[in-house]
Amino acid sequence: MSAHPIQWQAPRPLWARYTTTSASAVAAADPERPAILRFASDEFMEQILGTLACDSSRIDALVARAETWREPMAEPADLVERTPKSPMALTGIRKMLAEKLKTGVTATRHAADDPRAKSQTPTLPLKLYQPAHQRYYLLAASLICDIPGSPERALVSGKSEQVNYVIRRLLPATPESTEDLPEFAYVKSAQGGRWQRVNEDTGQFFDGEELLPVFPLTYRDNRESVAHMRTLWAGFVPVGRREEYVSANVDSSTVPKSSAGQRQAPEITEPPGAPVSKLARVTQFQMEVAEPWKNLIRSSYKTAESLASPNLGGDSESLFDKYKRVFEFNLQQQNVSWLILLDFADFLSLHLEDVWRAIETGDTAPLEQLTQRKALYEWLGNALMSAGLKNALKLPDTGSVQRAPAQSLRAALKAVRAPGVREKLERIELNYTNNSVSLNHADWPDFHFILAGLNVDRSPDGPFKLLGSAGTQASSEFLADPTQPSSTQQQTGVEVDRLTALVGRALEAKLETGAPPLPFALQLKNSLAANLASHPGDPGWFVARFVLTRPECGPLHPPVLSAPTQRFQLASFFDADAPARPIRISLPMDTSPAGLRKYSKNTAFVLSDMLCGQVQRAKSLGFVDLVLSVLPWPFHKDLDLGAGGPCKTGSIDIGMICSLSIPIITICALILLMIIVSLLDFIFRWIPYFIMCFPVPGLKGKK
């Protein structure tokens, strides 16, 4: 069976126009590869349609070239039909323009192809910018029959034939590699997208590769005696997906192409589910228990250092005042500790059911054969609050115990999950502070157990200190950041990593449907680390290929891929070379009280009763209160915020709807921005590059 050979070519209006001579045009790569068209306006579709309708040869001015905001591309003529014209007039204009001599198109090249690339002034790489930079890009190509005199290839109606394009990534094996970079196809699966190494014959379509949509653009070709309708295939380049593409995993093992030559269900070897499930559960423990616990430890060390500083009282402060400040700090720590204990208990009941049953019933027989789980159970029973920490939770005035301390961490976990405790703890609207209303509130749990606080001598203390004596070593397998910390308060956080390792070893590597997915930040960290290790010095090169697929034809008519486009990079949102979309913000002209009162307060903020109470507490603070809170003893005065709680009128909870003036808010935001930038200039030194103002004579606030 014979058939017309089909191939992809550059857009028809650019044929035989690359470089200056016909001989060099034949040798250039551009006639065989799709073109990348660049637009610097939000009406880019109107621009491409107007160009094709008026003079299709002028798309040469749209071919993407390397640019920066300092050296932008020259803007093409605006051929959008602003004023409707009659078909006869349009035909005359097209014929007149078609008779004009067409200029040659300079062949495109990227920095690696340029012989000057290693000189002191290398050419810039072709970088595609995002819509936020006011840049849009279309891939364009023509599908033709590779027989002289034959018409353009028309698609069979229905889904017998399908036109798309694919994005390929070029990854170097070494940082010095610049030529003959292998192509990687973007494949999506249940575990997300990944880059899969294709065969050495990169002109072949990869099974399971992501197909991006294209659309036809029709226009009249007036270069011939009779105008013919032509079709240009185009696809929008999703530059906004750069982070997804760059952070995807890379599989360098080559997968053989399908024998049928058509797109089939990809045979993908997924990563084993059990280790991923175990890692997801350990990460959940880190996010809900370990890291909040570490933050309690860090705040304890930081507060201990501040209380011991001579500038904040030192030895001149009375013992009663010292004890009172320690007591109030421990109440804050206890408030958060109850919530961490609740999340810890929920984790055990969900992922370590036998350990939780032993905690509830005291029956450890099922754990006898499970060494790691029994070790976790025993440590929970040995984790106690020290005597100094218990004494620091006694009332400063009377020395009595407000709530009895739990015997161990195991007992605290059991008590916090007792019937009714969760509901009361999550519905309470007060903060646990040194206030009679708050301290005596019935909704607080009836026990104390601080995970990290200060003891009576104002030194950090808590059950985390017992982890080192348990013989448990921290494992980098279960750590988000296994690097050795430097400061003391960070080193003590490593003790909690021992607990994470203890929990991780107690978990089974089994596949379960209820396992949470890996957090996005962890997935990104793993993929970036793997990519940096396997492909160091990756400059982020991409190419695109058009593809014609015929699923119903089997191996008789394999997919037809175009030649790759010129290499390009995808710019990040904060790319230093990116053009800036012009944005104008007009602030109020008359900023006097008489002028600002004229603006409508048309923005409503809906505040719940709890948020209303917190806002009222903040409004009660003055500048003097803030200054006294940071002065040393005896001028120091703690902020008196009360026990908190919602806004009430008698027994009725009151929310609020506050109407604000957006112009005044914008002025405040600008002033605060200037203040914050000035303060942070001590670190970043960015003031010389921050702002530039131009004087405007006659721009008056009051007429």
Side-chain angles (χ1 to χ4, degrees):
M1 178 179 291
S2 62
H4 284 192
I6 303 172
Q7 71 176 28
W8 290 96
Q9 285 282 350
R12 187 182 183 90
L14 301 179
W15 288 2
R17 293 181 57 199
Y18 286 103
T19 69
T20 55
T21 63
S22 300
S24 58
V26 173
D30 293 64
E32 298 181 359
R33 63 189 182 191
I36 303 176
L37 307 182
R38 166 263 192 196
F39 303 87
S41 172
D42 293 332
E43 55 178 12
F44 65 96
M45 285 305 301
E46 289 85 349
Q47 288 186 4
I48 185 63
L49 292 174
T51 302
L52 293 176
C54 184
D55 185 4
S56 60
S57 64
R58 291 199 181 184
I59 69 169
D60 59 352
L62 299 174
V63 176
R65 310 285 180 177
E67 65 172 337
T68 67
W69 66 270
R70 296 179 179 86
E71 301 177 3
M73 278 182 55
E75 293 301 324
D78 185 9
L79 300 180
V80 179
E81 187 179 340
R82 308 293 179 183
T83 302
K85 299 180 179 65
S86 65
M88 184 177 297
L90 287 174
T91 302
I93 294 174
R94 284 195 296 266
K95 288 185 177 181
M96 179 184 64
L97 294 174
E99 294 174 356
K100 295 182 65 175
L101 182 64
K102 304 299 185 296
T103 59
V105 181
T106 305
T108 58
R109 59 178 56 187
H110 58 80
D113 290 338
D114 198 297
R116 299 176 301 166
K118 296 182 180 180
S119 67
Q120 294 182 354
T121 58
T123 57
L124 296 172
L126 176 59
K127 190 179 295 185
L128 308 188
Y129 300 106
Q130 301 197 18
H133 307 139
Q134 205 172 25
R135 292 295 185 270
Y136 303 88
Y137 300 90
L138 293 179
L139 299 176
S142 295
L143 183 62
I144 64 171
C145 294
D146 193 17
I147 297 179
S150 298
E152 286 184 327
R153 181 65 164 82
L155 294 186
V156 177
S157 59
K159 293 186 177 180
S160 299
E161 293 183 337
Q162 182 177 345
V163 172
N164 299 92
Y165 81 93
V166 296
I167 287 184
R168 298 277 178 86
R169 187 174 179 182
L170 308 179
L171 289 170
T174 63
E176 294 77 18
S177 299
T178 58
E179 299 297 334
D180 300 326
L181 302 181
E183 291 188 9
F184 288 73
Y186 191 62
V187 181
K188 280 198 167 183
S189 62
Q191 276 68 35
R194 78 177 191 278
W195 294 102
Q196 178 67 59
R197 173 78 178 269
V198 300
N199 293 285
E200 295 300 328
D201 184 4
T202 55
Q204 295 295 327
F205 178 66
F206 184 80
D207 289 341
E209 190 170 1
E210 182 186 38
L211 296 175
L212 298 173
V214 301
F215 50 88
L217 297 172
T218 58
Y219 65 99
R220 291 186 179 274
D221 190 350
N222 292 302
R223 293 181 302 171
E224 304 171 1
S225 58
V226 179
H228 291 285
M229 294 299 298
R230 302 295 184 185
T231 300
L232 188 69
W233 292 99
F236 181 74
V237 182
V239 186
R241 296 178 60 184
R242 176 193 181 274
E243 302 306 324
E244 174 188 349
Y245 288 148
V246 172
S247 61
N249 291 321
V250 176
D251 188 353
S252 298
S253 59
T254 304
V255 177
K257 64 182 180 181
S258 170
S259 59
Q262 291 295 332
R263 190 169 190 240
Q264 301 173 345
E267 296 181 1
I268 301 172
T269 304
E270 302 290 359
V276 174
S277 172
K278 181 175 180 178
L279 181 59
R281 287 175 285 164
V282 173
T283 306
Q284 180 188 3
F285 177 81
Q286 288 178 305
M287 296 179 65
E288 296 181 356
V289 180
E291 289 304 317
W293 193 345
K294 285 183 181 181
N295 289 330
L296 290 182
I297 297 173
R298 296 183 184 112
S299 64
S300 299
Y301 274 86
K302 184 176 181 180
T303 304
E305 292 174 1
S306 65
L307 292 177
S309 174
N311 294 328
L312 292 179
D315 296 332
S316 59
E317 189 176 7
S318 67
L319 292 177
F320 178 80
D321 290 336
K322 293 180 182 179
Y323 181 80
K324 184 178 179 182
R325 293 173 66 181
V326 169
F327 175 73
E328 291 173 347
F329 172 77
N330 284 337
L331 293 183
Q332 300 175 19
Q333 300 290 89
Q334 180 61 80
N335 197 347
V336 180
S337 295
W338 278 323
L339 298 174
I340 297 177
L341 288 170
L342 183 59
D343 291 336
F344 195 175
D346 289 341
F347 180 88
L348 293 176
S349 65
L350 183 62
H351 300 297
L352 291 170
E353 298 180 13
D354 43 8
V355 175
W356 180 249
R357 282 196 298 268
I359 293 175
E360 284 191 316
T361 63
D363 182 13
T364 60
L367 301 179
E368 294 300 330
Q369 304 301 323
L370 304 173
T371 307
Q372 299 295 342
R373 299 196 177 192
K374 187 175 181 181
L376 173 61
Y377 173 83
E378 292 178 348
W379 183 84
L380 294 176
N382 295 329
L384 312 174
M385 280 205 312
S386 65
L389 196 55
K390 293 178 182 178
N391 292 331
L393 277 172
K394 293 181 180 180
L395 296 175
D397 298 328
T398 62
S400 60
V401 177
Q402 181 69 24
R403 286 172 174 81
Q407 295 181 355
S408 63
L409 177 55
R410 186 198 304 164
L413 292 171
K414 180 179 179 181
V416 81
R417 225 167 173 263
V421 175
R422 175 196 302 275
E423 293 75 14
K424 293 180 180 179
L425 184 59
E426 292 183 345
R427 78 185 180 195
I428 194 167
E429 299 171 335
L430 303 176
N431 294 323
Y432 197 47
T433 60
N434 189 14
N435 179 281
S436 59
V437 177
S438 175
L439 283 176
N440 298 316
H441 203 284
D443 284 349
W444 296 119
D446 60 355
F447 68 93
H448 277 159
F449 196 88
I450 301 180
L451 296 177
L454 300 178
N455 56 30
V456 289
D457 61 0
R458 298 193 297 178
S459 62
D461 202 350
F464 63 90
K465 290 192 172 182
L466 302 175
L467 281 163
S469 61
T472 305
Q473 298 297 323
S475 173
S476 60
E477 178 186 1
F478 306 116
L479 301 186
D481 184 11
T483 57
Q484 183 66 24
S486 56
S487 65
T488 303
Q489 53 182 293
Q490 290 177 334
Q491 289 177 357
T492 54
V494 176
E495 300 297 332
V496 181
D497 292 334
R498 300 177 185 271
L499 177 60
T500 303
L502 201 61
V503 172
R505 296 187 183 99
L507 291 168
E508 293 181 9
K510 64 179 181 179
L511 194 60
E512 60 173 348
T513 57
L518 285 177
F520 172 72
L522 181 60
Q523 297 180 39
L524 181 61
K525 173 252 183 186
N526 292 338
S527 61
L528 289 179
N531 295 348
L532 289 174
S534 58
H535 299 89
D538 172 30
W541 287 118
F542 294 87
V543 294
R545 293 176 180 264
F546 278 83
V547 57
L548 168 67
T549 55
R550 289 166 283 191
E552 298 180 0
C553 294
L556 297 177
H557 298 286
V560 179
L561 263 72
S562 70
T565 62
Q566 60 174 315
R567 297 179 187 178
F568 59 86
Q569 295 175 337
L570 301 178
S572 63
F573 188 86
F574 292 108
D575 193 288
D577 296 327
R581 177 184 288 269
I583 300 174
R584 175 180 174 177
I585 301 176
S586 298
L587 292 175
M589 297 289 290
D590 185 2
T591 56
S592 65
L596 292 176
R597 70 181 178 86
K598 299 176 182 179
Y599 291 98
S600 173
K601 301 177 182 64
N602 61 334
T603 303
F605 283 76
V606 181
L607 311 181
S608 67
D609 58 338
M610 288 188 63
L611 182 56
C612 169
Q614 293 165 337
V615 170
Q616 296 299 330
R617 294 169 65 196
K619 287 170 62 178
S620 65
L621 296 176
F623 180 74
V624 175
D625 298 317
L626 296 177
V627 171
L628 292 177
S629 66
V630 297
L631 288 178
W633 188 88
F635 305 104
H636 175 81
K637 179 182 177 183
D638 291 331
L639 295 176
D640 185 11
L641 299 177
C647 293
K648 288 180 177 290
T649 299
S651 60
I652 302 176
D653 294 331
I654 300 295
M656 300 182 74
I657 296 181
C658 299
S659 185
L660 282 77
S661 172
I662 284 295
I664 297 179
I665 292 177
T666 308
I667 295 174
C668 294
L670 177 62
I671 296 174
L672 287 175
L673 174 65
M674 295 296 184
I675 296 173
I676 294 173
V677 168
S678 300
L679 291 175
L680 294 181
D681 183 61
F682 290 104
I683 301 175
F684 296 100
R685 304 297 180 186
W686 54 23
I687 285 292
Y689 315 104
F690 173 63
I691 189 172
M692 180 179 181
C693 298
F694 298 92
V696 182
L699 190 63
K700 293 176 61 64
K702 283 185 179 292
K703 302 297 182 182

